[in-house]
Amino acid sequence: MNYNCLHISKLFGARSILCLGAFFGLQLANAASLSTWTFNSNNRAAEGVYDNMTASIFDKAGTFSGSLAITSNSTVRGVGDTGYLQTWQADDIYASEADALTNNTYFTFTLTPDENYEINLSEISFYAWVNTAGPFDGGNYNFFLRSSVTGTATLGTYTNNVAVASSTVPTTGNQYTIALSDQLSLQGVSEAVTFTIGVYADTKPTAGYMRMDQIEVGGTVSAVPEPASWTLSASLFALFVCVVRRRKR
């Protein structure tokens, strides 16, 4: 420990310093699975939903004609089970993200914290692949993620053309993870937040179809601090900054 840290520790007390560290950025270190959509039991309901929050079904936008059928292992088996989501048909895939949004060719789900609780998001992962039993001639396909909290910002995009043979379980090569821990507006969310997962292709395909499975959200859920706690933490932090600046002088 350097002199400044030792001086501050003596001034505030070790416990106060630890509390400041926990309050200003350590809570995502213990991120857990908040909810998962495995599409088992012939439904699109969320499973394993974390305490003090709710999660909606995995739904399609507007009048999007893409199939949302939950299918067993008749053609392509799911990840760790027999359920997977049959999603975009060729006619539902466009050549840009803007066109995909304009034509409502995307899926959504909503996370809602209970009253007096807040959600901190760390990542969203999902499996997605092309089934080779139906030719997909759109070249690379590009998945994108947005949220109602971050507006028109694209939180992440994955580009790939990995295909899966009929009756073959997709591997981690078909899994995509988008980090959210650096999105400040997705930390301390105390109201409903809706996520959008869409896709577009380099070239609009004329045939083929796609699959999704095992959509999972990671993060933490915590009680909203009492106003007195916020005031104390803010005061301690302000004092901490003043001491550091004075020592530098």
Side-chain angles (χ1 to χ4, degrees), residues 12 55 64 81 94 110 126 129 158 178-179 184 189 206-207 210 236 240 242:
F12 291 108
F64 169 27
D81 52 66
Y94 291 83
T110 301
F126 55 91
W129 67 98
Y158 263 96
I178 296 175
L184 296 182
V189 179
T206 57
M210 303 182 69
L236 285 172
F240 176 87
C242 288

Side-chain angles (χ1 to χ4, degrees), residues 88-91 93 130-131 134-139 203-210:
W88 293 274
Q89 309 297 308
D91 289 343
I93 300 178
V130 175
N131 178 18
F136 185 83
D137 56 0
T203 304
K204 182 173 174 60
T206 57
Y209 42 90
M210 303 182 69

